[in-house]
């Protein structure tokens, strides 16, 4: 949820300051982490908007200029650059966490650990995840009146809003509003899963 709020804040700031584009400094490694973590959280349909260059559903162009660079390549460059860029490097502490405590990690933390280990020995796997997600095409939005998720504000795929409550076996009961009404805002699958009570 923090990532969703952060991107909405950045986009609102960009719109408020009449910016044409938003440039994110995400590396190939970070985009691969996001691709798999968002897919695991049920937001796979939003991958073209979350990791690809192009226009967001809200009209601002999103660009990832470092999408072809691995995290370790950026770190190596920062160590060699003059003037030194090393002070601006934020160290990744995910790999230093004990695997015994992995039950307390978020999906993002688990993906970070995974790609940190994969990147050092098999960088082509990281690049393949991003190249494959780059081939995904965002569905056309059609009219200005398309349905959007009330939390992440991404377009909903027609006929696939929220959870398929009636089709789940032994799944959770459909959520209700605090007043008991079943007339709840439309949510995408990922946001609906994120807001369920444990």
């Amino acid at each position: 949820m923090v990532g969703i709020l952060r991107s909405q804040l950045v986009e609102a700031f960009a719109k408020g300051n009449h910016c044409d584009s938003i440039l994110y400094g995400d590396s190939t490694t970070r985009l691969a982490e996001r691709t798999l973590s968002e897919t695991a959280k049920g937001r796979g349909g939003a991958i073209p908007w979350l990791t690809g260059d192009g226009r967001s559903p809200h009209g601002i162009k999103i660009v990832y200029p470092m999408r072809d660079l691995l995290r370790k390549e950026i770190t190596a460059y920062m160590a060699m650059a003059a003037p030194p860029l090393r002070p601006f490097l934020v160290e990744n502490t995910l790999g230093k966490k004990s695997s015994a405590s992995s039950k307390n990690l978020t999906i993002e933390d688990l993906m970070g650990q995974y790609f940190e280990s994969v990147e050092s020995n098999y960088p082509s796997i990281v690049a393949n995840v991003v190249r494959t997600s780059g081939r995904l095409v965002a569905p056309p939005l059609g009219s200005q009146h398309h349905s959007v998720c009330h939390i992440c504000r991404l377009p909903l795929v027609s006929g696939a809003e929220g959870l398929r409550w009636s089709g789940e076996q032994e799944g959770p009961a459909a959520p209700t509003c605090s007043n008991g009404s079943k007339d709840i805002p439309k949510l995408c699958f990922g946001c609906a899963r994120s807001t369920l009570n444990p």
Side-chain angles (χ1 to χ4, degrees):
M1 290 294 182
V2 173
I4 292 170
L5 294 173
R6 185 181 316 124
S7 39
Q8 288 179 6
L9 180 64
V10 168
E11 194 165 313
F13 181 83
K15 281 184 173 184
N17 288 289
H18 309 291
C19 298
D20 295 326
S21 301
I22 298 173
L23 304 178
Y24 285 106
D26 294 355
S27 65
T28 298
T29 312
R30 177 66 189 117
L31 291 173
E33 291 169 10
R34 183 177 300 143
T35 297
L36 292 189
S37 66
E38 293 300 324
T39 302
K41 291 187 285 186
R43 292 190 181 95
I47 295 298
W49 289 300
L50 297 174
T51 63
D53 292 341
R55 197 145 304 274
S56 80
H58 312 293
I60 292 184
K61 186 175 182 183
I62 306 292
V63 181
Y64 296 93
M66 298 198 311
R67 73 178 302 115
D68 294 326
L69 300 172
L70 295 169
R71 182 180 291 138
K72 69 179 184 178
E73 294 170 330
I74 295 170
T75 304
Y77 175 78
M78 291 179 79
M80 296 183 301
L85 298 173
R86 193 80 172 159
F88 299 108
L89 180 65
V90 177
E91 290 294 328
N92 185 3
T93 58
L94 288 177
K96 298 178 176 91
K97 289 185 180 177
S98 167
S99 62
S101 66
S102 65
K103 67 178 183 177
N104 297 326
L105 295 177
T106 64
I107 291 173
E108 288 86 358
D109 293 340
L110 289 172
M111 289 299 122
Q113 283 183 348
Y114 172 72
F115 281 110
E116 184 176 343
S117 65
V118 168
E119 179 184 46
S120 59
N121 298 320
Y122 307 102
S124 61
I125 291 175
V126 180
N128 283 338
V129 170
V130 175
R131 274 197 299 268
T132 302
S133 70
R135 292 185 187 122
L136 299 174
V137 178
L141 297 178
S143 72
Q144 295 289 0
H145 303 292
H146 58 274
S147 295
V148 295
C149 174
H150 280 70
I151 295 177
C152 67
R153 295 179 34 219
L154 290 174
L156 295 170
V157 178
S158 179
E161 296 91 11
L163 297 172
R164 292 166 190 73
W165 303 110
S166 60
E168 285 191 3
Q169 293 181 358
E170 299 179 36
T176 59
C177 291
S178 58
N179 64 4
S181 167
K182 291 196 181 243
D183 187 25
I184 59 171
K186 289 185 178 181
L187 301 176
C188 68
F189 184 84
C191 290
R193 292 297 290 177
S194 297
T195 58
L196 288 176
N197 293 329

